[in-house]
Amino acid sequence: MSRRDTAVETVLRKRRPDPACWDAVVDAVCSGESSYDADQVLIQAGTAVARHADRIAVDLRRQQGAFGTAVGHGVTVRALALAGTGDLRALPALHSLAEHGGLPYGRPEARVMAALPPAELAAVMRTRLRRDGDNYHGNTTALEVLALCGSDAALAVEDVAMRLETPYATGRGRRAGGSYPRRAAWAHWKVTGDPALALDVCGAAVRTGTASHGLPFLADLGPLAAAHAAPVRRLMESPGAWTRTYAAHAYWRITGDPGPAIPVLLAQVDPAWDGGSALPVREAVRILGEIGAPAVSAAPLLRRILAQEERLGRARAGVRILADQAHVRTLTEALEGIDGWGK
């Protein structure tokens, strides 16, 4: 196995790899000896390669100049890797990718880009929305990023509102449905501050049985969604683990009462979880952290999970590091919220 392949395998498997492994990945990509796996690892690296930001930025400009194009796999890899470090030098390339149809539309890439300042990132997403029209995948990611940007995305209000009239949001399109209408209404509330549309759309989802799509947004609305507390409470006994978890969160956020929610959430925290999407382990951990001190009974278990050396193994290589970093971050933040651990 080559030095590059060994380094890639190590950073994919180990939660705390030797920094020299990251050095080897950067060297492989920027020296032209990369591989698909090395590219995917570098995109996920984040601040682990921040000390190499200058080299990545130089190589990004070289890629753009060498091929005479604003798009391409090499440009995308380096722009995303630089964005993951929070480096503003990624923005011109991201703008070009958005304008010319090369910006990735996956949720993992959206999270990588979210390391950039929200106002600048919102401008990139606005370009993406305007170029893609009513494209489902591109809009879903762009709306999620804009919601994360909050009030910094104010200039995109009209672009967000227009998506409420697309076939996906109105229910008239061939692929209409899913979470798209709720996500658009939620983003509209986040950007404008007016909750009326989100309460109507998300509350209807809970009442009509598509609970898993409406509950997270009702939780975010909190006491504003008090009229929906009773049906949300009933959903805490749902046979579906995700629905029970989302219902517990929404009930606590709406009513302020953590008592019924904590046992439901703690039952979902399996220390042997390998990252599979069938179980809402990370979501339950996050919510316990939000609840804070009343969830102190969860702290010993969360510490034991955090001390594990191996990354979550279920996720494919292209998102494994991001998934594990998110899990570690969620565990750490939950413990800080519960008992101030790490402060």
Side-chain angles (χ1 to χ4, degrees):
M1 185 178 289
S2 69
R3 176 172 176 263
R4 176 202 65 197
D5 293 340
T6 299
V8 169
E9 177 64 24
T10 299
V11 298
L12 281 173
R13 186 169 57 87
K14 292 293 186 180
R15 185 168 282 175
R16 303 167 186 87
D18 189 315
C21 293
W22 284 116
D23 298 343
V25 170
V26 173
D27 188 61
V29 173
C30 293
S31 66
E33 299 178 358
S34 188
S35 65
Y36 176 80
D37 286 344
D39 288 345
Q40 294 304 305
V41 162
L42 185 62
I43 288 172
Q44 300 173 75
T47 57
V49 297
R51 63 187 178 280
H52 298 292
D54 288 345
R55 184 177 184 185
I56 297 170
V58 168
D59 200 44
L60 172 59
R61 291 195 296 272
R62 183 187 65 80
Q63 285 280 324
Q64 291 174 303
F67 298 99
T69 178
V71 299
H73 178 70
V75 172
T76 302
V77 169
R78 289 151 181 82
L80 289 174
L82 199 59
T85 70
D87 196 304
L88 296 178
R89 288 174 291 183
L91 285 167
L94 294 178
H95 274 287
S96 294
L97 289 167
E99 184 176 356
H100 297 283
L103 194 67
Y105 56 73
R107 295 184 70 182
E109 290 87 354
R111 293 293 172 173
V112 169
M113 290 185 284
L116 291 166
E120 286 82 355
L121 185 58
V124 174
M125 293 302 109
R126 192 181 185 196
T127 298
R128 177 63 180 268
L129 286 175
R130 292 186 170 185
R131 184 195 184 278
D132 284 357
D134 65 354
N135 176 271
Y136 175 81
H137 292 293
N139 283 335
T140 298
T141 302
L143 289 168
E144 179 170 341
V145 173
L146 287 170
L148 291 172
C149 293
S151 60
D152 287 300
L155 290 176
V157 169
E158 291 185 6
D159 299 285
V160 171
M162 286 172 59
R163 270 67 203 171
L164 295 171
E165 299 301 322
T166 64
Y168 304 109
T170 61
R172 293 190 292 268
R174 179 174 58 87
R175 296 177 59 192
S179 66
Y180 191 87
R182 270 74 69 188
R183 190 174 301 279
W186 174 64
H188 182 270
W189 167 56
K190 284 289 190 177
V191 173
T192 66
D194 182 356
L197 181 63
L199 285 168
D200 180 48
V201 173
C202 300
V206 171
R207 292 193 304 272
T208 58
T210 52
S212 62
H213 292 310
L215 286 167
F217 304 116
L218 288 181
D220 208 18
L221 286 157
L224 293 171
H228 303 291
V232 167
R233 177 67 180 86
R234 289 193 293 270
L235 288 169
M236 289 169 62
E237 300 177 1
S238 168
W242 279 97
T243 298
R244 292 196 304 273
T245 300
Y246 282 144
H249 185 212
Y251 184 79
W252 167 64
R253 287 294 305 273
I254 291 169
T255 66
D257 179 10
I262 290 174
V264 174
L265 296 167
L266 192 53
Q268 306 305 320
V269 185
D270 181 0
W273 182 60
D274 63 0
S277 60
L279 298 175
V281 175
R282 188 161 67 89
E283 191 71 3
V285 171
R286 181 187 67 79
I287 298 165
L288 287 166
E290 284 188 20
I291 290 173
V296 68
S297 60
L301 177 59
L302 301 189
R303 288 193 182 90
R304 180 155 57 94
I305 297 171
L306 186 60
Q308 294 172 351
E309 290 293 329
E310 296 291 318
R311 293 195 191 275
L312 299 176
R314 176 65 65 89
R316 59 184 174 84
V319 298
R320 185 177 302 161
I321 296 171
L322 293 175
D324 189 69
Q325 287 174 340
H327 191 42
V328 167
R329 184 168 58 249
T330 302
L331 288 163
T332 302
E333 292 174 353
L335 285 166
E336 289 174 351
I338 290 170
D339 60 10
W341 181 86
K343 291 185 178 179

